[in-house]
Amino acid sequence: RRVHGSHPDISSANEAVRYLEQLRSIVRYVDISDANMEQGSFRADINISVKKKAAKELGTRAELKNINSFRFIHSAIEYEIERQIDLIESGGYVKQETRLWDEKNNKTVFMRGKEDAHDYRYFPDPDLPHVLCVD
C-alpha cells in the first residue's frame, strides 16, 4: 500500500468551510475534543496561494493563523485571495508570511515573515519513531 502526502485541492472559501465543518463533526463524533472554536479547542491555520490561469504551479503562499470561527474563516479566505490577486495584478508579489485575521476591520494583517522553510522551525521529535510506508 502506498501512502501519499496531501496536495492543495481546496479552491474556495465555501469548500474550505465545508471541509472544516466535516472535520469538526468527526473530531466530536470520535470524542477527541469538544472542538469548541470560541474556547480555542478547534482553530484553523489556512495556507492561501493563487496563480494566473495559464500557470501550472500555485504562487507563493501566505498562512492565515489561528482563525476561530467558520464565518471568520470564510471571510479571511475571501479577503486573502483578493489581496493576493490585487498585489499580483498591480505588479507586486506575494511574500511568504504569516497573517492574522482582523475581524474588526475585516482584513488580514501581517504577523511575521517566513522567507525560508527554516523559519518554520521544523525539527525531528526524538520521541516519535520513524515509520516506513511502502507499496
Side-chain angles (χ1 to χ4, degrees), residues 5-71:
S6 64
H7 300 283
D9 60 359
I10 296 175
S11 57
S12 73
N14 289 335
E15 191 178 352
V17 169
R18 282 193 309 271
Y19 170 82
L20 290 167
E21 286 171 340
Q22 289 180 340
L23 180 61
R24 185 174 73 162
S25 292
I26 292 167
V27 165
R28 286 178 167 172
Y29 180 78
V30 298
D31 201 25
I32 295 171
S33 166
D34 65 5
N36 185 317
M37 296 182 91
E38 296 78 21
Q39 294 178 354
S41 56
F42 191 83
R43 294 179 180 244
D45 291 353
I46 302 158
N47 290 299
I48 304 286
S49 55
V50 298
K51 68 179 182 74
K52 293 183 178 181
K53 289 184 182 193
K56 292 183 180 182
E57 299 290 323
L58 288 167
T60 302
R61 74 176 177 269
E63 179 184 24
L64 307 179
K65 196 83 172 148
N66 291 324
I67 305 177
N68 67 347
S69 87
F70 293 124
R71 183 170 54 91

